[in-house]
Amino acid sequence: MTTTISRRTVRSVVVAAQLFAPAVVPSITAQPASAPTSATISPDQLSRSLEPVIQLRGEPRRTFTLRERMAHYHVPGVSVALLQHGRIVWARGWGVTDSASGRNVDSATLFQGASISKPLAALSALSLVQEGRLALDTPIDSVLRSWHLPADTLTRDSAVTLRRLLMHAAGTSVSGFPGYGMATRTDNVRLPDNRDVLDGRGNTPAVRVVRIPGTVYAYSGGGYTIVEQAIEDVTGQSFEHVARARVLEPAGMAQSTFAQPLPPDRWAAAAHAHRANGAPLPGFWNDYPEQAAAGLWTTPSDLLRLGIHLAAVWRGERDDGIVTTSTLHTMFEHRGNEPGFETYGLGFGIVGADNNLSFGHNGGNAGFLSTWIIYPGHGDGIAVMTNGERGSTLAKEIVRGVAAAWDWQAHAAHVRSARRLPPEQLAAYVGTYERAGGGAAVTITAGDGVLRAASPGQSGSVLHADGDREDAFFDTEDGQDITFGRNAMGDVVTLVAYGNLVLRRGRG
């Protein structure tokens, strides 16, 4: 998914995958549920309680309506389902499945789950581990039959294993996949198979080991394609069949499918993808033959059905599920102290521990952005799916409204202090900042005690001065920190985002 300076100002600068909120996860132990959540949030209440990433200390709490934020982010359609005390209390759609026809989104509308596919692929793989057909810690190449990892000095002393692939620590390349357009559905153009993808004969580079396995967290959809091939090689069946039989059907996900391309008889139920400006994606949507990494079509209600199933397994209320309680705890356990490891188990994003543990995943395909969160100890959760490229930020604003009502501290808005600066201080930052070599420019203006940042073709953002640090600002809506650098004369000369993305000041 695309991340920018203020995520709305320089979309061409940075691409990043943000999987889950950061937290350290100690060992997992099922405990009795804490106090029940408060009264059910109605669809109308939720639609009026969206929150930004940051609330300002000492100021009234800011909230938005869903309709205004859908318009703000140019997201045509949103589907939400809410889980409370182990049951789906409601599921509802807002907006339209596609901007051309104006068909309404409803609870049965299909969306691409994108990377939410990964936890389901991990569950498929771990069910095979339980049967002894796959192993977590032996070299994955030992079970591969149709394709093999090329020999590499990086793997001489540290193997690519299923465990490392599932937790993005195998050192494999290719973070994500762009998908394929309508020709694969209408012109009989063959989608690449796993071996094509793995050897770079699709539209992405070959999947190779580029780091020593087990040393760093590096998100790799390519690694999940290796997992997909391993599943097919040990079962002799297609990944679609294995995932349906081992995950979708046991969880009651009757609307969901890993079929790629989506069968024509399902097209009428599917939302269409839209770009950041709200324009339809040509061909309605892209197809993703990389099924384990990105191929799921699903609904929020089906995702919550899977959440209900896994929550019962996690609590030890059933041990005959998709995987056993012991296996699921292994999938959720804390893996280490490297950045990324502390928030990613085997296929799942993990936040918190014990009764406050939550699991889930975000998803981002072209024109489809979603999030899925389950608190198994409470029996609560939410799934939000959108058909716009800026839907990730919108989905998280929806989640923060629920988090405020139900005290989901790990997913709630942060509170920060801000200062209003006088015009003469703000004037020091005004100007245009450009990336070396071109390709990105941000214009900073000032007024009413704050800065405003904008880039060509993007809506602007408001930057508040940090209450504790000089030359530091932040955007309340997406949480992005911006700092300015000065030269020896004290003049502002650079704008820095993400700690290392530097734009240099030109005339302004």
Side-chain angles (χ1 to χ4, degrees), residues 9-10 429-433 441-445 452-456 461 495 508:
T9 54
V10 193
Y429 306 103
V430 171
T432 298
Y433 298 78
V442 177
T443 299
I444 300 294
T445 58
R452 288 176 172 80
S455 64
S461 3
L495 180 156

Side-chain angles (χ1 to χ4, degrees), residues 19-20 25 115-124 126 166-168 217 219 224 247 303 306-307 310-311 322-323 327-333 335 340-351 357-362 372 374:
L19 296 171
F20 229 56
V25 184
S115 286
I116 296 175
S117 306
K118 292 179 174 71
L120 280 69
L123 288 165
S124 300
L126 266 292
L166 294 178
M167 60 188 287
H168 298 293
Y217 171 93
Y219 194 80
Y224 270 73
V247 179
L303 290 176
L306 176 59
L310 296 178
I322 294 168
V323 292
T327 295
L328 193 62
H329 284 193
T330 296
M331 297 180 76
F332 289 174
E333 70 183 12
R335 300 307 310 160
F341 286 136
E342 73 274 13
T343 59
Y344 208 88
L346 302 185
F348 290 87
I350 306 295
V351 172
L357 176 138
S358 64
F359 67 82
H361 213 286
N362 292 340
W372 170 53
I374 302 293

Side-chain angles (χ1 to χ4, degrees), residues 104-118:
N104 290 332
V105 172
D106 60 31
S107 62
T109 301
L110 284 172
F111 290 78
Q112 288 187 359
S115 286
I116 296 175
S117 306
K118 292 179 174 71

Side-chain angles (χ1 to χ4, degrees), residues 24 36 38 49 65 106 122 124 141-142 149 154 180 197 220 258 275 307 332 410 437 455 463 498 505:
V24 174
S38 58
S49 62
T65 69
D106 60 31
S124 300
D141 211 52
S142 66
L149 271 167
L154 293 171
Y180 297 80
V197 172
S220 175
F258 274 98
R275 299 195 185 280
F332 289 174
S455 64
L463 303 179
Y498 310 108
R505 189 179 189 182

